[in-house]
Amino acid sequence: SVTVESLVRSILPTEMETGLYRISQELIQNTLKHAGATAIAFSLAEDYEYIQFRYEDNGKGVDPTQVQHGLGFKNIESRAQAIGGKVEYPTAANGFVCLLRFPVPDQSNT
């Protein structure tokens, strides 16, 4: 199962939407290929300064040393940087978690 939750008021620029889409693709691919998960959850939340994207699954988790060396994780990091974001992989009791935080886009041009 897949759940999606969005609590974002801002309109994201196309390059941010595309970046999040590509990051999501990479994360889903990793989950399907390696995790043996039965559930995936996405969420987007916004405060005054940042938007936080959270991805998690209930699979077998990831060896922390692989996060720094895997090509997929390098692609995620590169795409996150391209939209001004920072990625973290907090340790989870079960499964895998990816957090991406990036500044709320300037809405004055919309």
Side-chain angles (χ1 to χ4, degrees):
S1 70
V2 176
T3 56
V4 179
E5 179 181 35
S6 178
L7 303 170
V8 175
R9 300 173 306 278
S10 297
I11 297 170
L12 301 181
T14 302
E15 60 273 5
M16 282 186 173
E17 288 180 347
T18 302
L20 287 173
Y21 177 75
R22 299 286 185 225
I23 289 168
S24 298
Q25 282 183 310
E26 189 71 51
L27 290 165
I28 291 169
Q29 177 71 17
N30 287 346
T31 294
L32 294 175
K33 191 173 182 180
H34 304 291
T38 59
I40 294 171
F42 292 92
S43 66
L44 275 174
E46 177 180 356
D47 64 22
Y48 294 105
E49 294 183 60
Y50 294 98
I51 294 177
Q52 180 171 289
F53 167 86
R54 181 181 178 95
Y55 175 93
E56 57 188 305
D57 70 35
N58 67 346
K60 63 182 179 180
V62 176
D63 177 350
T65 62
Q66 294 303 308
V67 171
Q68 297 181 11
H69 299 294
L71 182 59
F73 291 113
K74 289 179 183 178
N75 287 338
I76 291 168
E77 184 71 31
S78 175
R79 292 184 190 280
Q81 288 176 356
I83 62 172
K86 180 175 169 85
V87 179
E88 296 177 25
Y89 302 100
T91 305
N94 293 342
F96 171 77
V97 175
C98 174
L99 297 176
L100 167 60
R101 207 166 107 139
F102 55 95
V104 172
D106 179 9
Q107 299 295 299
S108 64
N109 296 331
T110 58

